[in-house]
Amino acid sequence: MEFQEITYEEDGPVGTITLNRPHDGNMFTPLMCEEIRDCINAIRRETRTRVIVLTGAGDKFFCTGGKKEGMEDTQLYAGMLPTLDMYESIDRLQKPVIACVNGYAVGGGNVLQMVCDMTIAKESAVFRQVGPMVGSFDAGYGTWYLEDLVGKKRAKEIWFRNPKMTAQEALSIGLINKVVPDAMLKEETRKMALEIADRGAFALASIKAAFNARHGGVSGLARMAHDLLLPGYLNSEEHAELASAFAERRSPDASKFGQ
């Protein structure tokens, strides 16, 4: 897959998506959001990779939020950054996604690492939620997911006061999973990814779907029931018997139900 504002590469069971606008803080643009969405949707359709890493190009920025330029002058969806498409694609992906935070994770960049299943960061990384201080806000993923991670009172403080947090501070409140020395970030990220890749892919997909069903409503439950349970049912004797009976215009043999 070739893209303009991200890169994607595979190394064994690990796929890595890199936000590739280091000259501008790896900020989202409409194109970048769409490319991340399209890349992840393509990853959904293959079984080569079992874990995905999401990181930023360079050694200073993971992502510093969204660049609200070049969109239509409308209050409809065309006038908004398509960040929700990007976040939803990460949630829907049946593979664990690790955020590898290589620098500043600010605004939408902090929300992006929260949406990922796990986060590993280098010691010098910085985390900050800045919406209200720059005339913006995230009233969906950025609030609910943050509350899940750090609790309601602390999540409100992060949104109301917009404190700048070191990687160690982010770790201490449960915002991220692990902090490593700067020079060891790539090595430790791959180590984590390979450890997870050794787990059962179907089991991991089921666990991720169960977590996501909590916030996903009918969509979250359908991802579990349709994506995970339906394929097994279609290979069952019950399915084969019912399909055959319908085609042959006869009553099904109920002794094969549940098989």
Side-chain angles (χ1 to χ4, degrees):
M1 294 180 282
E2 293 187 5
F3 303 98
Q4 296 181 48
E5 297 191 348
I6 67 171
T7 64
Y8 177 69
E9 59 181 355
E10 295 178 6
D11 186 0
V14 181
T16 299
I17 299 171
T18 303
L19 313 186
N20 195 28
R21 300 184 69 251
H23 61 284
D24 199 16
N26 289 322
M27 294 184 76
F28 307 143
T29 66
L31 178 60
M32 179 186 282
C33 292
E34 292 163 0
E35 288 188 341
I36 293 173
R37 175 202 63 196
D38 293 346
C39 182
I40 291 176
N41 286 342
I43 292 169
R44 281 178 56 80
R45 307 300 301 178
E46 51 86 2
T47 57
R48 300 182 303 275
T49 58
R50 298 193 294 279
V51 179
I52 303 303
V53 172
L54 183 63
T55 192
D59 59 5
K60 188 174 181 180
F61 303 109
F62 172 70
C63 176
T64 55
K67 197 171 184 67
K68 302 174 181 66
E69 297 177 1
M71 292 170 286
E72 289 188 33
D73 184 16
T74 172
Q75 292 190 27
L76 298 176
Y77 195 69
M80 294 297 297
L81 273 170
T83 52
L84 295 183
D85 292 349
M86 175 175 59
Y87 298 153
E88 288 168 355
S89 68
I90 294 173
D91 259 353
R92 288 195 301 266
L93 184 64
Q94 294 178 331
K95 305 172 186 182
V97 180
I98 301 172
C100 172
V101 178
N102 57 307
Y104 283 84
V106 178
N110 186 46
V111 177
L112 179 61
Q113 71 83 16
M114 287 193 291
V115 173
C116 294
D117 300 297
M118 298 179 66
T119 298
I120 182 171
K122 68 180 185 180
E123 188 76 37
S124 65
V126 175
F127 298 82
R128 193 174 195 182
Q129 206 61 62
V130 297
M133 65 186 294
V134 298
S136 182
F137 59 84
D138 185 321
Y141 284 91
T143 49
W144 283 31
Y145 278 41
L146 183 59
E147 180 184 342
D148 279 353
L149 291 169
V150 305
K152 182 178 289 185
K153 293 283 189 178
R154 197 181 296 272
K156 287 182 176 181
E157 179 183 0
I158 289 171
W159 270 107
F160 294 167
R161 295 185 59 238
N162 313 123
K164 186 184 295 185
M165 292 173 282
T166 66
Q168 287 294 345
E169 288 171 334
L171 178 66
S172 71
I173 64 173
L175 183 61
I176 63 176
N177 298 90
K178 187 174 183 178
V179 177
V180 299
D182 288 17
M184 297 180 64
L185 179 61
K186 289 185 178 180
E187 175 186 344
E188 289 297 317
T189 300
R190 182 161 179 79
K191 180 180 178 181
M192 178 185 287
L194 290 175
E195 180 181 11
I196 296 172
D198 280 342
R199 303 322 189 237
F202 190 89
L204 291 174
S206 300
I207 292 167
K208 181 167 179 177
F211 276 115
N212 291 339
R214 177 170 176 256
H215 285 320
V218 65
S219 174
L221 292 172
R223 286 294 167 187
M224 178 179 289
H226 181 275
D227 291 2
L228 296 172
L229 300 183
L230 183 58
Y233 180 71
L234 295 179
N235 288 321
S236 68
E237 287 189 38
E238 178 177 308
H239 162 76
E241 173 58 19
L242 286 167
S244 296
F246 181 80
E248 297 166 6
R249 299 183 180 181
R250 61 174 174 81
S251 296
D253 179 359
S255 68
K256 296 183 178 180
F257 290 1
Q259 305 299 317

